[in-house]
Amino acid sequence: MLRRAAAVVPLSCLLLAGSAAAAFAGGSDDPTPYTVTADGLTLPGGRTFVEHDHVNVRYVVDGQTLTAQLHVQAATAQGAFAGRTGFAWTELGLPGTYCVTWVEVSGYNEHFGEGGQRPACTDAPTTAEPVEPIPAVPAGPPPAAAPAPAPSASGTPAPTPSPTVSGAALVASPGPTSSASVVRSEVLSAGAGSDGALAITGSSLLVPVLGVGTAALAAGVVLRSVHRRGRRARPAHRL
């Protein structure tokens, strides 16, 4: 009896070990018993990390594939993971934005990413929408201000003189007019007539002046001639 009991105990141990091994004997493309999310990894219920457990991770950042590892060893900083049921990817050095594409956990044949699982990605960082700049208004010269009329002595603005037509000449009023300009205007207006004769007013003033000057010049010439003749005809006196 004792021999039979001794033989049954090892056999039962082998069966238990075989059933436990069968529980972890899935294929690499089978559903993973552990949970992979964009935040981290969680072991199945009742399982914790122990000494010498490891996790291998592949992730993508800006189109580049990178790797990260966890090796639970008491002699290193990662020995603190012993007894935990999971961790965050940032604890393995992953940046703020990434996509986890492949995971391997020691003790399991199932690999995340080989059974059709989609990558676990963090949300893309939000960026502020660009604001369209306001087009700049080209600077131009300021508009010219209308000149103000000069104030008169009485304090009211002086009126602007307007040209008036008198005959054929334009005379600005109320400015002063000289006698020479009047004579010239009359001569021009008379000359612009249809018969082409000189103006009577201008000629009546010029003819007496020219006559007096001509008579004075002739009288001077005559007196000078008589004086010269008298000196030549005077005889010389002898002593």
Side-chain angles (χ1 to χ4, degrees):
M1 293 294 295
L2 293 176
R3 291 180 180 178
R4 289 181 180 179
V8 170
V9 172
L11 181 59
S12 61
C13 292
L14 291 175
L15 291 175
L16 292 174
S19 62
F24 300 98
S28 63
D29 56 353
D30 289 342
T32 59
Y34 50 87
T35 303
V36 175
T37 65
D39 296 327
L41 181 143
T42 304
L43 295 176
R47 175 75 191 278
T48 60
F49 289 107
V50 296
E51 184 79 7
H52 304 301
D53 276 350
H54 63 270
V55 178
N56 295 320
V57 184
R58 294 176 187 170
Y59 61 98
V60 177
V61 176
D62 296 333
Q64 184 179 3
T65 300
L66 305 172
T67 60
Q69 295 83 27
L70 168 66
H71 296 280
V72 182
Q73 295 180 359
T76 64
Q78 292 185 343
F81 286 85
R84 295 174 54 176
T85 60
F87 57 86
W89 297 123
T90 54
E91 295 182 82
L92 300 186
L94 273 67
T97 304
Y98 54 82
C99 281
V100 176
T101 58
W102 184 82
V103 179
E104 177 192 13
V105 180
S106 61
Y108 301 97
N109 291 332
E110 299 85 358
H111 298 160
F112 176 84
E114 295 184 9
Q117 297 90 347
R118 299 183 62 181
C121 301
T122 57
D123 295 335
T126 58
T127 57
E129 296 182 358
V131 179
E132 184 178 358
I134 300 175
V137 179
S152 61
S154 60
T156 58
T160 303
S162 58
T164 58
V165 179
S166 176
L170 295 179
V171 181
S173 61
T177 305
S178 60
S179 59
S181 62
V182 173
V183 173
R184 181 180 180 184
S185 299
E186 293 179 354
V187 172
L188 290 177
S189 61
S194 58
D195 54 357
L198 293 176
I200 299 175
T201 305
S203 60
S204 61
L205 294 177
L206 294 176
V207 169
V209 174
L210 294 176
V212 173
T214 304
L217 181 61
V221 172
V222 171
L223 292 175
R224 187 176 182 82
S225 302
V226 171
H227 181 68
R228 287 183 178 178
R229 290 177 181 178
R231 291 181 62 183
R232 292 179 181 175
R234 185 182 299 175
H237 297 279
R238 296 181 179 178
L239 297 178

